[in-house]
Amino acid sequence: MLTEVITVLTDRQLLIFQVIVDDFIQTAQPVGSRTLSKKEKISFSSATIRNEMADLEELGFIEKTHTSSGRIPSEKGYRYYVDHLLSPQKLNQHDIHKVQSIFAERIYELEKIVQKSAKILSELTNYTSIVLGPAVRDNKLKRIQIVPLNKETAIAIIITDTGHVENRMFHLPENIDAGDLEKVVNILNDRLAGAPLESLNNKLYKEVAVLLRHHINNYDLMLNSIADTIKIPAYDKLFFGGKTNMLSQPEFHDIEKVKNLMNMIEQEKGIYDLLSKNKSGINIKIGRENNNSAMENCSLITASYSIGTEQLGTIAILGPTRMEYSRVISLLNYISADLSAVLSKLYQNR
Amino acid sequence: MLTEVITVLTDRQLLIFQVIVDDFIQTAQPVGSRTLSKKEKISFSSATIRNEMADLEELGFIEKTHTSSGRIPSEKGYRYYVDHLLSPQKLNQHDIHKVQSIFAERIYELEKIVQKSAKILSELTNYTSIVLGPAVRDNKLKRIQIVPLNKETAIAIIITDTGHVENRMFHLPENIDAGDLEKVVNILNDRLAGAPLESLNNKLYKEVAVLLRHHINNYDLMLNSIADTIKIPAYDKLFFGGKTNMLSQPEFHDIEKVKNLMNMIEQEKGIYDLLSKNKSGINIKIGRENNNSAMENCSLITASYSIGTEQLGTIAILGPTRMEYSRVISLLNYISADLSAVLSKLYQNR
DNA sequence: TGTTAGCACTCTTTGTCCCCGAGTGCTAAT
DNA sequence: ATTAGCACTCGGGGACAAAGAGTGCTAACA
């Protein structure tokens, strides 16, 4: 495919195309031949440009909004731009400074760092940022605690090796006393500590059930309560920054579009689907490539952050298809590397 | 003030005013004399109505959008309508059914119930619902746990008598061993269990500090970490339902207004201010009564929920000033009563 | 004296026409 | 191969008119 495209596009077409995309990304206005001919980089007449543009349109890289309008990049055009024409951009001092500020304070909680990353990222880009929090799925159990609140209810608390805490209330079987409960907790910790959360449910029924039976009555009801508590959250947590930034983009002057997009963002399920199926490194999905009608005029750029080779979560920018791809990619690369570094340091010896 | 108004408005003016408000709430269109004269309840001619409307306008209850338009209620008008003309509306079977569904499953977690209430409320009204979660400020400490994650960090967990769990990571002093940590935890629980969260900080430094000194070295660093962990969250948690519902209201076809409102909602601080300064029972703030520029065209109706006489939190509806006050008030009353009942039952013996 | 029919007036909305500007495609000249 | 030139297209904005909804006021009526 790459060779095919290269044989088809001349250098001049490439140049014109690039200038069109760059200009449109900046101004959000269709770009005409006269505007182009005035650019510094371009030394030929508007008529020549018109000819070239007609060819570029025929190839599907640019479109008109109406018969006699200037051109705008098509989705295929953006795809080509992103794949072949993107020159990595250096971050300026101000950007670097702001990113560093995420890690300035000594913070121990992963969630706080992640939340702050989302905030900074949206402030720097004026787009919406989304961070998929660290997966707890393959965390290992550090400790289970059960704290009775009164005769009927107790609260179960799970702590993982990364310091993630989950808790849930449950109903206590009747006639269970503090001693019984302590026994249960001891058994649970003996048997389950160190095991990945994923395997807990299985182990609980296969290994722990037998032991519990020997020590307490009504163990089955109790067991179910605990199993329910232990269940891993279906989705990892999402963090957002600049949810309303999209409202400032000219392509979202139409309330209907805003409603669609906002609804998807609020429901989180859709966002989760968009984010979770990405490979490591930078991923770019343009417009309909996202397979989501609410994303019609949007692009999503994702990057993963990790500890060593273990992918922890995803950090993403949601913007209009007319997005500053180069800048956003640089930023994501930079932040995800920093994030990975800091987290690795924090959890090297977990 | 009440007497003043009663002497000024005739029965007929009252009737006309009420019909204007009711009609405008339904249609969002200015109401003219011809439209009014056709209403069943109204038996006099459009000319008479025009005269009365001129008086009502002079009194400040209604306004024109331009010289020859129909009338819409003014903020003062809504205030009068809400204070004097509201007839409590009975909920229909469908509404009651949906509200009941909040409590259908046996749920133990307060947060889940509250979250679900917000969701149902927004679905029933098509406005935005906001629930200020139960205040943890005056919860009492049930238990403190400290779980070391590795040599350097540990996680402190606080459980309150209502089952609320807070946790925070902190840095361990060097050379502290498991035995020391256990001693610390025992001292903390001995001294602090049962105390209101508010008083913990004080007690920690006044009573516990002395004890810690006898048992472990480096107690001061440890103490600060714990104090930091114990700190009560500045704001109680907010839950939302139907954040995007406002986008469907005709008064929010203007992107600028949407942006203002959404920004305020996202920042939470503003919302918190709006909600927290309300008395128990139903409160209604109309438009500029909210003292918040983003709320220009919005009204906020709040209700409190409680256990016994102790006010726990606030449940609210944010809608356009042109809101179905009667219906919303009935719903809020109904839900807040149910919520109070269920929570009282759940925490009667905490 | 309170009510109402009637009328002149106002203002918004909608549609039409027209013109301007920006841009295109094509042709012919360079 | 490039470009100047020209006819053509389309969207946007202003001017204008007509329609519709509503008002205020006056004069007549019960």
Side-chain angles (χ1 to χ4, degrees), chain B residues 76-87:
Chain B
K76 181 179 171 188
Y78 281 122
R79 171 49 61 199
Y80 184 80
Y81 175 80
V82 157
D83 286 345
H84 300 100
L85 298 177
L86 230 44
S87 51

Side-chain angles (χ1 to χ4, degrees), chain A residues 26-41:
Chain A
Q26 260 211 303
T27 65
Q29 298 297 324
V31 191
S33 56
R34 220 183 82 95
T35 316
L36 283 174
S37 71
K38 282 188 182 159
K39 296 262 171 184
E40 214 180 317
K41 290 183 186 174

Side-chain angles (χ1 to χ4, degrees), chain B residues 31-77:
Chain B
V31 191
S33 56
R34 218 183 85 95
T35 317
L36 283 174
S37 70
K38 281 189 182 157
K39 296 263 171 183
E40 214 180 316
K41 288 184 186 174
I42 288 182
S43 53
F44 23 89
S45 78
S46 61
T48 313
I49 295 170
R50 280 200 290 281
N51 282 325
E52 298 287 34
M53 288 208 290
D55 289 349
L56 284 169
E57 183 169 8
E58 215 159 89
L59 292 167
F61 290 107
I62 56 181
E63 307 171 330
K64 291 190 257 193
T65 58
H66 61 268
T67 10
S68 72
S69 77
R71 305 303 212 289
I72 64 173
S74 66
E75 284 192 9
K76 181 179 171 188

